[in-house]
């Protein structure tokens, strides 16, 4: 604060003394602020570059007809860009392709990777539900039922009850299967329950 009772020389001397005492810390503070600004800008650019690279690898994985290139890109996404959503998305797509071909072991491995590494709850849930279906298809009923019994968004309710019905049916627990299929039909949206109705009918009329 300026003291107007002092002469210009006295005020100048006060400023010199203050600078001697505080100048170094002021300069250091400015330097730190500048370093932080440039550091943040570098980090932002780095993050953008990482996402762009991950996106490119994902797109190539989706479009290439060369299985070796797709596998290599997936491995790179999982090892170097595990925190990006592209690694999880590529793993989910890879699992789907394997499952459709009846290759359940690699499908299971890809889904487990998403569950263990993805930071997106929605992707983790999608992987868990799909893994439950894969496990049910390979008669690993206990783990499949455990996964299907976890808490998910209501949008998964129908498919989860259908999976439970499939498991109970395979275990010859007819009444449990019937109840699960009935719950699946009630929870189904947009009329997407014809297959479940067929499964329910195949159980017979019951007691």
């Amino acid at each position: 604060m300026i003291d107007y009772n002092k002469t210009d020389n006295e005020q100048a001397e006060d400023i010199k003394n203050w600078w001697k005492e505080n100048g170094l810390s002021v300069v250091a503070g400015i330097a730190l602020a500048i370093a932080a600004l440039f550091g943040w800008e570098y980090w932002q650019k780095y993050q953008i570059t990482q996402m762009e690279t991950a996106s490119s690898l994902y797109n190539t994985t989706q479009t290439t007809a060369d299985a070796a290139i797709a596998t290599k890109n997936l491995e790179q996404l999982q090892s170097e860009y595990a925190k990006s959503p592209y690694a999880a998305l590529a793993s989910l797509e890879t699992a789907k392709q394997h499952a459709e071909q009846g290759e359940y072991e690699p499908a299971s491995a890809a889904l487990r990777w998403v569950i263990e590494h993805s930071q997106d709850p929605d992707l983790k849930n999608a992987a868990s539900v799909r893994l439950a279906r894969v496990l049910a298809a390979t008669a690993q009923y206990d783990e499949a039922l455990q996964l299907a019994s976890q808490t998910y968004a209501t949008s998964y309710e129908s498919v989860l009850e259908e999976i439970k019905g499939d498991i109970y049916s395979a275990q010859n627990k007819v009444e449990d299967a019937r109840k699960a299929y009935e719950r699946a039909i009630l929870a189904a949206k947009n009329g997407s329950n014809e297959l479940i109705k067929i499964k329910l009918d195949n159980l017979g009329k019951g007691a």
Side-chain angles (χ1 to χ4, degrees):
M1 184 173 180
I2 298 175
D3 186 347
Y4 292 99
N5 294 320
K6 290 186 178 182
T7 64
D8 290 345
N9 289 336
E10 288 174 332
Q11 290 179 7
E13 190 62 29
D14 286 345
I15 293 172
K16 289 179 182 178
N17 292 334
W18 182 90
W19 185 255
K20 286 180 182 179
E21 295 176 2
N22 301 284
L24 184 59
S25 60
V26 171
V27 171
I30 293 172
L32 286 173
I34 293 172
L37 175 61
F38 280 99
W40 174 251
E41 289 181 353
Y42 171 80
W43 175 248
Q44 291 287 83
K45 290 178 181 178
Y46 172 77
Q47 290 289 88
I48 292 172
T49 300
Q50 289 288 94
M51 291 298 287
E52 288 176 345
T53 304
S55 175
S56 177
L57 286 169
Y58 172 74
N59 289 333
T60 302
T61 301
Q62 296 299 101
T63 57
T64 184
D66 191 322
I69 292 177
T71 299
K72 181 180 178 181
N73 285 357
L74 176 62
E75 290 174 349
Q76 187 175 354
L77 280 166
Q78 290 179 340
S79 62
E80 298 179 21
Y81 306 94
K83 293 183 179 180
S84 80
Y86 296 107
L89 290 170
S91 298
L92 287 171
E93 183 61 29
T94 297
K96 178 183 176 182
Q97 293 170 1
H98 283 304
E100 288 174 346
Q101 296 173 21
E103 300 168 351
Y104 294 119
E105 186 173 344
S108 177
L111 293 169
R112 290 184 190 280
W113 188 93
V114 178
I115 295 169
E116 293 173 5
H117 295 88
S118 177
Q119 298 181 331
D120 188 319
D122 291 333
L123 295 180
K124 290 169 76 76
N125 285 341
S128 295
V129 172
R130 295 184 189 184
L131 179 58
R133 190 180 288 282
V134 168
L135 292 171
T138 54
Q140 299 179 65
Y141 300 129
D142 289 343
E143 187 180 359
L145 192 58
Q146 183 180 19
L147 281 171
S149 300
Q150 292 178 1
T151 301
Y152 300 90
T154 54
S155 58
Y156 288 110
E157 184 177 357
S158 181
V159 66
L160 289 168
E161 292 299 334
E162 181 185 359
I163 292 170
K164 292 176 186 177
D166 292 346
I167 294 170
Y168 292 135
S169 179
Q171 294 176 322
N172 203 31
K173 298 178 180 178
V174 178
E175 286 307 310
D176 288 335
R178 189 188 315 282
K179 291 176 182 178
Y181 286 142
E182 288 173 348
R183 290 193 298 268
I185 291 170
L186 288 174
K189 305 297 182 183
N190 302 321
S192 57
N193 54 16
E194 292 304 316
L195 178 58
I196 307 173
K197 287 180 179 178
I198 292 173
K199 291 180 179 181
L200 179 59
D201 290 342
N202 287 340
L203 293 175
K205 297 298 182 181

